[in-house]
Amino acid sequence: MSALWSYRPYNRASCIEMGRLETTGPISQAAHFHSEVQIAIVTHGCRVYSSPLGDLCASAGDMVIIPAHLPHASQGSTASIVTHLYAPSDHPSVRGMVIPQIIRRVHAQSPYEALDAIGSLRRDERHDKQFASTGALSKKVVNQELDINSIAAQLGYSTDGFIRAFRRQFGMTPAAYRLAHRLMNARSKLRRGDAIADVAYAMSFADQSHFGRLFRRAYGATPAAYRSAFVVP
């Protein structure tokens, strides 16, 4: 196996989730997003995080911050070890993070050190209006009662033109964004202990096997392995 993903709560009293990725060679992760702010702490090797706002290449000692709901993919060409933290967007250390950032050579040894380093970053309020508009568009797209043709017509686009414009802004097509949103919600349901079959049905996946394949492509772990990390026996 070229990659091993594991997840767990940082501690039972914390609202922060922790993930760990260990790779022995090249491995890519499909584009996805989280409801939380993602913090990637590279302790060995290197990792590239790609988003519609550009690529961030992190080496050992560096830390990458990905804002909540920002589509991103990752890839690495060498063996690497990366710790990921997922902090609620209203957490004091990450509140107001709207653009991806990298901190060089921070060498954080614990989540507390990572959050302290992020807390020292300046927020760029010039992006607030832009991201409010982006959020309104993404909410429209994930509304399953609206088809893409109708959304395009409402905004004055042809369907193909809207798909191209959306992809330029979000890095994925509206259909792919809808899928990523369903997977994000499925992740939340698994974390609270919902049965895998129930989650697959609630999120409108064809079957449990189909759900499992897509979940693993995005998050690196099977739904069963992810769920078991958060369900108290």
Side-chain angles (χ1 to χ4, degrees):
M1 181 179 292
S2 59
L4 176 64
W5 269 101
S6 60
Y7 294 94
R8 66 178 177 85
Y10 173 53
N11 60 53
R12 291 298 177 186
S14 174
C15 58
I16 296 175
E17 178 184 335
M18 178 180 282
R20 182 178 173 87
L21 169 63
E22 298 183 38
T23 74
T24 58
I27 189 72
S28 299
Q29 193 171 12
H32 62 286
F33 51 86
H34 303 271
S35 58
E36 307 89 359
V37 174
Q38 175 178 318
I39 304 151
I41 307 162
V42 181
T43 55
H44 180 76
C46 62
R47 198 86 184 145
V48 178
Y49 293 83
S50 303
S51 82
L53 300 179
D55 294 349
L56 296 175
C57 182
S59 300
D62 297 342
M63 198 164 68
V64 172
I65 304 98
I66 306 290
H69 297 101
L70 179 68
H72 59 281
S74 67
Q75 55 276 333
S77 58
T78 63
S80 60
I81 301 175
V82 187
T83 297
H84 292 81
L85 305 176
Y86 305 92
S89 56
D90 61 355
H91 190 285
S93 294
V94 298
R95 186 182 298 127
M97 299 295 300
V98 295
I99 56 174
Q101 299 191 49
I102 188 167
I103 309 178
R104 299 290 185 187
R105 296 178 293 279
V106 67
H107 295 286
Q109 299 297 313
S110 72
Y112 290 119
E113 291 179 4
L115 292 171
D116 283 346
I118 295 169
S120 66
L121 290 176
R122 295 185 62 179
R123 278 39 169 185
D124 192 341
E125 296 180 357
R126 292 173 300 173
H127 290 268
D128 287 353
K129 185 175 182 180
Q130 171 191 345
F131 278 82
S133 173
T134 297
L137 178 57
S138 63
K139 287 179 181 178
K140 187 183 290 286
V141 165
V142 298
N143 183 346
Q144 297 295 327
E145 295 181 1
L146 294 174
D147 61 62
I148 301 304
N149 294 338
S150 298
I151 297 173
Q154 288 178 15
L155 299 175
Y157 286 93
S158 67
T159 299
D160 288 344
F162 174 66
I163 291 172
R164 288 193 296 270
F166 189 92
R167 185 166 191 168
R168 283 195 298 270
Q169 185 168 352
F170 290 88
M172 55 174 59
T173 65
Y177 191 92
R178 281 181 166 178
L179 173 59
H181 185 263
R182 287 159 58 206
L183 288 169
M184 181 191 74
N185 288 338
R187 180 180 172 122
S188 177
K189 290 178 180 295
L190 291 171
R191 192 163 54 237
R192 75 185 187 191
D194 289 12
I196 297 170
D198 292 343
V199 173
Y201 178 79
M203 293 292 99
S204 302
F205 290 100
D207 53 44
Q208 192 170 322
S209 177
H210 179 233
F211 167 51
R213 288 194 301 273
L214 293 172
F215 190 90
R216 187 166 187 172
R217 279 185 57 202
Y219 301 119
T222 65
Y226 183 81
R227 180 181 180 277
S228 66
F230 297 92
V231 176
V232 179

